[in-house]
């Protein structure tokens, strides 16, 4: 509870500082007098929640981000495993992917406009491209970093290629895959909002840009807060899914908020565990022991 209280306190302190600087019209080097106050943004937020346009924008942005991200997750993981496991696939696709990867996804907006007949499809394409490469690179590195002993053990017991893929490659690469997914969802939000600002019709990014063009700064901050909250929620969902799917990983014994006495630090590491004792049974096993 103390950790949650600390987090709430930090947010409240940030909002209080924002309110203080903007209400006092502080102009030292940064011009806080141009910013709306927290109360102005709160009133604008309440007005938006009462209307239909806000929920329409929210639904459109979430549909675009989830569609593009799910496509990127499937394609990125599949391509990453294929490139990491097949020399032929690496020779055919590796160079092309490395040439395209440095291109910012938002720079593909003209390509999307020319390629797709509908703006919705173009925005999903940009979102998918933004998340695809982080997932691809993380998956490729995670698969290549796997210990060959695991695969050899499965082959020794008569397992084939698909058995190795399902019992060694994918489970072993899951931590790296979810690292790429966490990065990908954040990049997807950046690109989907930018694409909505440029060529979208409805959406949080489109509405935020419209508010800026009509000099509705409280509305702009409403859009920014909405984007931040949505990004935090989706990133948290990806992280929780990763933790649940990798429960077999050994976890740290650190307990939040509990600090051992100075004399007891490292004592557990120095104390030998008798063979066959109950304490030995409670020692977490590593992944190599499970395999």
């Amino acid at each position: 509870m103390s950790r949650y209280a600390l987090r709430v306190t930090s947010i409240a302190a940030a909002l209080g500082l924002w309110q203080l600087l903007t209400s006092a019209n502080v102009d030292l080097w940064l011009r806080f007098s141009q910013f709306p106050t927290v109360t102005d943004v709160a009133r604008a937020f309440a007005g938006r929640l009462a209307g239909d346009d806000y929920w329409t924008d929210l639904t459109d942005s979430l549909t675009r981000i989830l569609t593009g991200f799910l496509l990127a997750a499937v394609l990125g993981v599949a391509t990453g495993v294929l490139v990491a496991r097949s020399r032929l696939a690496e020779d055919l696709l590796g160079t092309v992917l490395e040439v395209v990867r440095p291109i910012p996804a938002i720079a593909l907006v003209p390509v999307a406009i020319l390629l797709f007949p509908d703006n919705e499809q173009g925005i999903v394409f940009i979102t998918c491209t933004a998340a695809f490469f982080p997932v691809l690179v993380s998956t490729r590195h995670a698969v290549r970093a796997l210990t060959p002993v695991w695969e050899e053990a499965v082959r020794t017991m008569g397992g084939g290629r698909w058995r190795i893929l399902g019992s060694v490659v994918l489970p072993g690469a899951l931590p790296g895959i979810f690292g790429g997914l966490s990065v990908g969802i954040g990049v997807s939000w950046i690109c989907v909002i930018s694409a909505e600002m440029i060529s979208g019709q409805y959406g949080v990014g489109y509405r935020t840009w419209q508010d800026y063009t009509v000099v509705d700064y409280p509305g702009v901050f409403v859009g920014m807060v909405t984007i931040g909250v949505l990004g935090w929620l989706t990133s948290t969902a990806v992280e929780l899914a990763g933790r649940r799917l990798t429960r077999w990983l050994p976890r740290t014994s650190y307990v939040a908020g509990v600090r051992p006495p100075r004399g007891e630090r490292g004592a557990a590491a120095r104390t030998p565990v008798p063979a066959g004792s109950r304490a030995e049974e409670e020692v977490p096993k590593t992944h190599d022991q499970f395999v």
Side-chain angles (χ1 to χ4, degrees):
M1 292 301 295
S2 61
R3 295 186 66 199
Y4 289 111
L6 185 61
R7 295 176 184 180
V8 173
T9 302
S10 66
I11 295 175
L15 293 176
L17 181 61
W18 177 3
Q19 178 69 22
L20 177 64
L21 294 174
T22 53
S23 60
N25 294 325
V26 175
D27 281 335
L28 296 175
W29 177 59
L30 300 176
R31 299 178 298 174
F32 291 102
S33 60
Q34 305 295 322
F35 269 42
T37 64
V38 176
T39 53
D40 293 335
V41 176
R43 283 193 294 266
F45 214 138
R48 294 290 176 87
L49 292 176
D52 295 332
D53 289 341
Y54 180 82
W55 301 106
T56 301
D57 295 335
L58 203 65
T59 302
D60 288 348
S61 292
L62 283 174
T63 301
R64 292 162 178 165
I65 194 74
L66 292 178
T67 304
F69 178 71
L70 291 176
L71 285 173
V74 174
L75 295 176
V77 171
T79 308
V81 172
L82 183 63
V83 171
R85 300 280 298 176
S86 171
R87 292 184 178 179
L88 178 61
E90 183 180 7
D91 293 337
L92 291 175
L93 301 176
T95 304
V96 176
L97 293 173
E98 288 302 315
V99 170
V100 177
R101 184 165 68 92
I103 301 175
I106 196 61
L108 299 177
V109 170
V111 176
I113 294 175
L114 295 174
L115 191 62
F116 295 95
D118 188 6
N119 283 342
E120 289 295 319
Q121 299 172 3
I123 294 175
V124 171
F125 165 74
I126 293 170
T127 307
C128 177
T129 304
F132 171 77
F133 287 104
V135 177
L136 165 68
V137 173
S138 297
T139 302
R140 183 181 63 191
H141 286 299
V143 172
R144 288 177 176 173
L146 293 177
T147 304
V149 175
W150 301 346
E151 181 176 343
E152 294 171 1
V154 176
R155 290 187 185 277
T156 302
M157 293 184 289
R161 179 177 302 177
W162 292 106
R163 179 67 175 177
I164 293 173
L165 182 65
S167 61
V168 174
V169 176
L170 291 179
L174 269 182
I177 291 174
F178 273 96
L181 292 175
S182 297
V183 175
I185 191 67
V187 178
S188 294
W189 272 112
I190 295 173
C191 290
V192 73
I193 296 301
S194 302
E196 288 176 349
M197 288 181 175
I198 296 174
S199 62
Q201 295 178 351
Y202 294 101
V204 179
Y206 169 81
R207 190 67 56 189
T208 303
W209 183 254
Q210 289 298 110
D211 290 333
Y212 172 75
T213 57
V214 299
V215 199
D216 182 8
Y217 293 129
V220 172
F221 277 84
V222 169
M224 293 170 61
V225 171
T226 302
I227 295 166
V229 171
L230 290 176
W232 171 65
L233 290 176
T234 51
S235 298
T236 302
V238 172
E239 183 178 353
L240 290 177
R243 289 182 180 179
R244 181 168 293 274
L245 291 176
T246 58
R247 286 179 295 180
W248 47 268
L249 282 173
R251 303 295 182 184
T252 178
S253 59
Y254 168 75
V255 179
V258 177
R259 188 177 181 87
R262 183 177 299 274
E264 297 180 6
R265 296 174 192 173
R270 296 191 301 267
T271 303
V273 180
S277 65
R278 182 175 180 82
E280 183 187 31
E281 297 175 0
E282 296 176 355
V283 175
K285 294 182 174 58
T286 62
H287 183 265
D288 294 66
Q289 290 173 297
F290 282 116
V291 173

